[in-house]
Amino acid sequence: MTEAPEKPQDFKNILDHSDDELKAIAHPMWEDLITYSNKGQYGKFVRNFSYNLLFGLNEVEVGKQFAKSELTRSLDPNYDFLGFIRRGEHVTCLYRVRSTKKEGEWLGRMVLGYEDGAVKIFGASIF
């Protein structure tokens, strides 16, 4: 008799993931944010955002960011992962980010959690 393939664990809280599992989820999402920010592709940039984050965005301000911000249009795709901060039902992923046009380093932050059974972005910023 052949055993059925093991069903993936149904996570209810992002905190249930190990660091390696979180990295496998977070890093591709972070790379997408960098890629679509650099290209100014707003629709693709927000595709993994949670409903509440999307609902709370001021699209005019976000549009200005894509149109006018030299930093958000020149993010170096090479980043350094700094670590995770876990609390409640969310994990904050921290990255050191550089620009291809501006000197210096910035702190990148992406907050992940579950919404409707899928991992979504609940916050993202560079400062």
Side-chain angles (χ1 to χ4, degrees), residues 5-111:
E6 189 174 315
K7 183 180 175 186
Q9 185 174 354
D10 185 23
F11 291 97
K12 301 287 186 219
N13 189 323
I14 194 82
L15 302 183
D16 294 338
H17 289 284
S18 70
D19 279 3
D20 287 338
E21 290 169 331
L22 285 171
K23 287 176 189 176
I25 296 166
H27 293 349
M29 293 175 92
W30 182 252
E31 291 161 7
D32 281 352
L33 290 179
I34 290 173
T35 297
Y36 299 128
S37 183
N38 284 341
K39 292 180 177 181
Q41 294 178 333
Y42 176 75
K44 290 181 179 179
F45 179 79
V46 301
R47 72 181 179 176
N48 289 314
F49 282 17
S50 70
Y51 173 79
N52 285 336
L53 180 56
L54 284 172
F55 186 73
L57 286 178
N58 180 330
E59 290 192 39
V60 172
E61 290 302 314
V62 174
K64 286 180 188 176
Q65 169 183 310
F66 280 100
K68 297 182 180 179
S69 173
E70 183 179 48
L71 176 61
T72 59
R73 297 298 296 276
S74 66
L75 297 171
D76 189 327
N78 301 303
Y79 57 85
D80 299 312
F81 172 67
L82 301 176
F84 295 118
I85 298 174
R86 293 170 163 84
R87 76 183 156 278
E89 295 182 359
H90 297 94
V91 170
T92 300
C93 313
L94 300 173
Y95 298 93
R96 177 183 297 125
V97 189
R98 294 167 191 84
S99 169
T100 58
K101 295 183 179 178
K102 298 179 83 154
E103 289 293 321
E105 300 175 334
W106 286 263
L107 177 64
R109 173 190 71 100
M110 179 175 64
V111 180

